Amino acid sequence: MLCCTYKMFLNIDMNLQKTLANKVKCSGIGVHSGILVNMLICPAEANHGIVFVRSDLRENNKIPALFDRVIDTSMCTKIANEYGASVSTIEHLMSALWGSGIDNAIIYVDGAEVPVMDGSSDCFINLIKQSGIVSQSEQRKFIEISKSVKIEMNDKSIVAEPDDSFSVNFIIDFDNQYIQAQSYNFNANDDFESEIGKARTFGFIKDVEYLKSIGLAKGASLDNAIAIGEDGILNKEGLRYKNEFVRHKILDCIGDLYLAGARIKGKIKAVKSGHQLNNLLLHKIFETKSASISSAA
Ligand SMILES: [Zn+2]
């Protein structure tokens, strides 16, 4: 019911910028740090964009959610400002903001990592629904892809092509019998919450010890990730979708690409892409002037 109301709302004034109606908060551990973080998502004025604020730091604590602030893409997307203040694992929240139609928000975190919650965007989408969404007076801006741009690395690639709307076509191919090859297509008009938003992150049990030894995945558990062992999926509840893995890769891709600073209008085709390629694509789009700013949906 909420979902239908929301879609109708979006259809009415898709061209106007939006922010949250109220502040909303949540607490949870970081999947890599294992540390409890409190997060407050607040409304922001038109043309503000998405900005993180490290509330545990006294000064120089603002970090704009933009692609050229990305400093690490090894296991998650991490951004930092020129003073070294950083926040990591922002991609699931960025994806929820895109999926909920939020253009402007200030996100206070009292630690260096966004809470992982259940490993998807679901909790963040529900928080934003709880808050309500308001239209602002300014026109929404779009990053309109004007010519094809491609990033390739070994057998991985990601392409942005001109198109009238935003879509992501994603292919994965894991040498693992519980994932194998999966492909999925998401269009901007599809329902983000039910198609993509609930898909959880995933990892292999065989990698966990190594990741922990290099200081990653300290907070990872069956409550916030799909765990794949030698005999299959370890989570008792199983998968939320048959192809939850590729849907989650689309979730990550949308969150990473929202660091463009506005919604992209174009067709994205990704093969085995990840945070690094997603970010390189944005760099190349802007460096080769392959997009223009428009204000028409
Ligand atoms: Zn992810």
Side-chain angles (χ1 to χ4, degrees):
M1 184 62 194
L2 262 175
C3 174
C4 298
T5 313
Y6 168 65
K7 281 195 91 169
M8 279 169 61
F9 174 75
L10 266 188
N11 286 339
I12 292 166
D13 45 18
M14 194 60 195
N15 284 326
L16 290 178
Q17 293 184 28
K18 291 175 181 57
T19 191
L20 295 96
N22 296 291
K23 296 175 183 177
V24 276
K25 59 183 177 183
C26 69
S27 302
I29 58 163
V31 67
H32 292 301
S33 63
I35 294 169
L36 182 74
V37 177
N38 299 297
M39 185 166 80
L40 185 65
I41 310 176
C42 300
E45 60 192 30
N47 296 321
H48 179 277
I50 313 288
V51 176
F52 286 84
V53 178
R54 282 281 303 274
S55 54
D56 56 324
L57 304 177
R58 280 194 179 174
E59 53 191 18
N60 300 326
N61 55 2
K62 285 186 183 168
I63 315 161
L66 293 172
F67 71 99
D68 56 359
R69 304 294 179 133
V70 172
I71 57 158
D72 191 4
T73 51
S74 49
M75 286 300 292
C76 65
T77 297
K78 180 177 182 177
I79 52 171
N81 65 17
E82 60 271 45
Y83 307 101
S86 68
V87 58
S88 61
T89 322
I90 60 168
E91 58 272 18
H92 302 168
L93 173 59
M94 289 303 294
S95 204
L97 292 165
W98 184 95
S100 304
I102 300 294
D103 301 275
N104 303 301
I106 307 174
I107 300 144
Y108 295 92
V109 278
D110 65 355
E113 187 174 11
V114 169
V116 65
M117 310 314 286
D118 73 346
S120 76
S121 297
D122 199 34
C123 293
F124 306 133
I125 293 168
N126 285 325
L127 274 178
I128 296 165
K129 270 193 201 168
Q130 222 179 71
S131 144
I133 299 164
V134 290
S135 283
Q136 299 174 288
S137 53
E138 300 283 326
Q139 291 280 304
R140 179 176 264 169
K141 293 185 186 76
F142 292 86
I143 311 276
E144 199 165 332
I145 303 297
S146 50
K147 58 183 186 214
S148 186
V149 179
K150 185 174 192 177
I151 298 284
E152 262 180 305
M153 204 176 276
N154 304 319
D155 58 346
K156 303 169 183 176
S157 65
I158 184 162
V159 187
E161 291 174 353
D163 203 7
D164 291 339
S165 68
F166 176 73
S167 62
V168 182
N169 182 279
F170 212 111
I171 297 171
I172 56 171
D173 190 3
F174 279 81
D175 184 18
N176 178 288
Q177 61 174 309
Y178 304 106
I179 305 183
Q180 300 180 339
Q182 298 186 352
S183 68
Y184 201 64
N185 197 70
F186 173 78
N187 295 303
N189 285 334
D190 296 341
D191 185 55
F192 176 84
E193 183 184 2
S194 60
E195 292 285 312
I196 302 296
K198 293 178 197 301
R200 292 163 296 172
T201 190
F202 56 95
F204 300 96
I205 288 297
K206 64 178 170 53
D207 296 337
V208 170
E209 284 311 310
Y210 168 71
L211 289 174
K212 288 193 173 173
S213 76
I214 58 166
L216 292 170
K218 283 181 182 167
S221 77
L222 294 177
D223 293 331
N224 56 40
I226 306 166
I228 304 138
E230 286 193 2
D231 300 319
I233 309 296
L234 271 64
N235 308 61
K236 275 193 193 131
E237 72 281 13
L239 295 175
R240 292 179 178 173
Y241 314 88
K242 244 182 173 175
N243 59 353
E244 189 167 355
F245 306 105
V246 71
R247 289 182 196 241
H248 185 79
K249 297 296 280 185
I250 293 176
L251 185 157
D252 279 343
C253 185
I254 290 174
D256 285 343
L257 295 184
Y258 202 23
L259 294 174
R263 307 165 86 80
I264 287 179
K265 197 193 285 185
K267 188 185 281 188
I268 308 297
K269 292 179 186 169
V271 179
K272 300 176 161 188
S273 186
H275 303 306
Q276 185 189 14
L277 265 68
N278 298 342
N279 187 246
L280 288 173
L281 182 73
L282 291 183
H283 276 276
K284 195 165 176 183
I285 287 171
F286 290 102
E287 279 156 21
T288 59
K289 296 186 171 57
S290 302
S292 56
I293 310 286
S294 74
S295 56

